[in-house]
């Protein structure tokens, strides 16, 4: 596939039950950057949504988020991680927005799993402000 200088994005859904090793490796990678990350072995009950940036050189991991398949508390986001070199470029916001879109499509209003990390609190607050502005302006 030739991209001729154009960058594209791809978001893949991986099931922890079917691709255990890949999902475990994602969790271990996240653990390197998130102090509070505890899940890295029991990935079966989770869905992983992986964001990649694709260019002439291949697909490059940007980040991912995970959520429980059958969450009784209606959490739409269990863990989110963007790699350090991709942070502050809007990818985390994109992943969080995507988690809300999925919740809407599933007909399940959701919220991120608690407790949130410090960066998680900031990200959710910024997204909340954006959603409030869009709703107020009817955008």
């Amino acid at each position: 596939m030739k991209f001729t200088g154009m960058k594209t994005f791809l978001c893949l859904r991986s099931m922890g039950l079917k691709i255990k090793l890949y999902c475990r490796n994602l969790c271990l990678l996240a653990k390197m950057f998130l102090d509070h990350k505890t899940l890295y072995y029991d990935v079966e009950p989770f869905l992983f949504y992986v964001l990649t940036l694709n260019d002439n050189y291949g697909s490059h991991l940007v980040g991912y988020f995970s959520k429980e398949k059958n969450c009784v508390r209606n959490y739409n986001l269990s863990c989110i991680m963007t790699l350090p070199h991709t942070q502050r470029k809007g990818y985390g916001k994109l992943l969080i927005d995507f988690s809300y879109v999925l919740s809407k499509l599933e007909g399940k209003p959701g919220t991120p799993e608690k407790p949130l990390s410090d960066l998680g609190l900031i990200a959710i607050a910024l997204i909340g402000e954006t959603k409030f502005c869009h709703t107020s302006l009817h955008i």
Side-chain angles (χ1 to χ4, degrees):
M1 181 182 293
K2 188 154 174 109
F3 290 96
T4 61
M6 185 177 76
K7 294 181 180 178
T8 61
F9 295 93
L10 178 63
C11 192
L12 303 168
R13 183 174 93 166
S14 300
M15 297 175 130
L17 181 62
K18 293 189 177 186
I19 312 174
K20 284 183 191 177
L21 183 60
Y22 179 76
C23 294
R24 283 180 185 161
N25 286 339
L26 279 175
C27 290
L28 287 170
L29 180 64
K31 191 163 177 54
M32 292 175 63
F33 306 108
L34 304 172
D35 295 338
H36 63 280
K37 179 73 175 155
T38 57
L39 171 76
Y40 56 90
Y41 188 77
D42 183 25
V43 296
E44 290 88 357
F46 291 89
L47 295 170
F48 293 79
Y49 294 86
V50 181
L51 181 66
T52 62
L53 173 63
N54 307 301
D55 61 18
N56 291 332
Y57 302 103
S59 296
H60 313 283
L61 178 65
V62 171
Y64 81 95
F65 76 90
S66 62
K67 70 180 209 168
E68 279 187 79
K69 284 186 257 190
N70 300 310
C71 183
V72 294
R73 295 186 183 120
N74 286 332
Y75 292 142
N76 66 344
L77 186 65
S78 293
C79 180
I80 183 169
M81 187 267 315
T82 55
L83 290 173
H85 71 282
T86 64
Q87 291 176 355
R88 305 206 188 285
K89 295 182 180 180
Y91 299 130
K93 181 183 180 313
L94 176 70
L95 288 169
I96 293 169
D97 281 344
F98 186 59
S99 75
Y100 280 106
V101 168
L102 286 174
S103 293
K104 206 177 229 185
L105 290 173
E106 294 168 352
K108 298 177 185 176
T111 180
E113 190 174 303
K114 311 291 187 296
L116 295 172
S117 66
D118 293 340
L119 288 175
L121 284 170
I122 293 168
I124 295 297
L126 290 173
I127 287 174
E129 288 175 14
T130 304
K131 289 194 181 306
F132 176 74
C133 291
H134 283 267
T135 303
S136 299
L137 298 172
H138 303 295
I139 295 177

